[in-house]
Amino acid sequence: MILLGDTPYIECFVRNEFLFDEKRGHGEFTPAVAFAFRAEPARVPMFQVMLDSGAQWARVPIHMICSKPCNPPLPIEQSCWWDSYGYEFTVIALPFLKNHAVTALGRDGKIRRGNYLFTVDWMNGGWAEVPDQHKNHHVIALEAGPWIAYPNNRLVWHDLSWITPAPNKEWQTPTRSYSVEGSV
């Protein structure tokens, strides 16, 4: 079981309302460094952070972290499309995507611009093993400040040197598992 895994060290801010059980601190921020990802089934992606005071916090939900102070907060349902798929995952900062600009389509139909931070991929059971349900969580720092965790099919990557964004809207998610040793 993994539950907690290293991420790249990323300077960020934690919304103070999280630090005060959402009773006060709204609109205020504390500098921090995110250094680990935490996964629990049926919970939004969470992070382990070290605050600039030396206090270390676990289980900070993604909608309470931002790359710069920003108000109003992005609602939790816009911060990620899916909860964590289980306890087991891997975290990787894909060199090919490093610092790539990306546009993300939210549940509200709005397109938001941001930059890639790292990817979480799921394994060992549940939806992670179903071809048409498996999703990565690409963690993105939006230009406005909030962090999001979105799957491939809600992102369009940008690189002016060679990408001309125009995904085919008729593409369909594969539903088969491929095996050379038998049907699955």
Side-chain angles (χ1 to χ4, degrees):
M1 182 175 295
I2 293 176
L3 181 65
L4 186 67
D6 288 330
T7 67
Y9 303 159
I10 303 170
E11 291 182 6
C12 61
F13 291 86
V14 175
R15 294 183 168 283
N16 281 3
E17 60 260 36
F18 176 76
L19 305 175
F20 293 100
D21 195 25
E22 299 193 42
K23 294 179 174 80
R24 62 186 176 105
H26 297 272
E28 300 171 358
F29 303 85
T30 297
V33 173
F35 62 90
F37 179 84
R38 182 181 176 102
E40 295 179 25
R43 299 281 190 270
V44 298
M46 297 179 286
F47 298 87
Q48 197 118 344
V49 302
M50 178 72 72
L51 303 179
D52 67 349
S53 66
Q56 193 248 203
W57 282 73
R59 302 180 78 199
V60 180
I62 192 166
H63 69 292
M64 293 292 179
I65 295 183
C66 48
S67 57
K68 62 183 178 184
C70 55
N71 281 308
L74 192 64
I76 192 170
E77 64 274 5
Q78 300 305 327
S79 297
C80 54
W81 274 85
W82 313 106
D83 285 337
S84 297
Y85 280 7
Y87 295 107
E88 296 188 62
F89 61 90
T90 186
V91 171
I92 184 167
L94 296 163
F96 184 79
L97 296 177
K98 184 178 180 176
N99 296 323
H100 260 82
V102 61
T103 50
L105 176 63
R107 291 181 190 277
D108 57 2
K110 291 184 181 176
I111 294 176
R112 296 173 175 89
R113 295 188 60 81
N115 285 296
Y116 174 80
L117 298 175
F118 59 89
T119 299
V120 177
D121 205 353
W122 303 95
M123 59 191 170
N124 291 338
W127 295 116
E129 307 301 324
V130 180
D132 63 340
Q133 294 298 314
H134 174 264
K135 310 279 189 291
N136 300 103
H137 277 93
H138 296 292
V139 179
I140 309 291
L142 294 178
E143 286 179 350
W147 284 15
I148 61 172
Y150 275 33
N152 291 327
N153 64 343
R154 301 297 175 189
L155 301 172
V156 175
W157 302 90
H158 302 272
D159 185 331
L160 296 177
S161 67
W162 70 284
I163 295 174
T164 306
N168 186 329
K169 294 183 181 187
E170 294 180 19
W171 286 336
Q172 296 179 339
T173 302
T175 58
R176 285 184 50 194
S177 290
Y178 297 92
S179 172
V180 71
E181 296 188 37
S183 61
V184 176

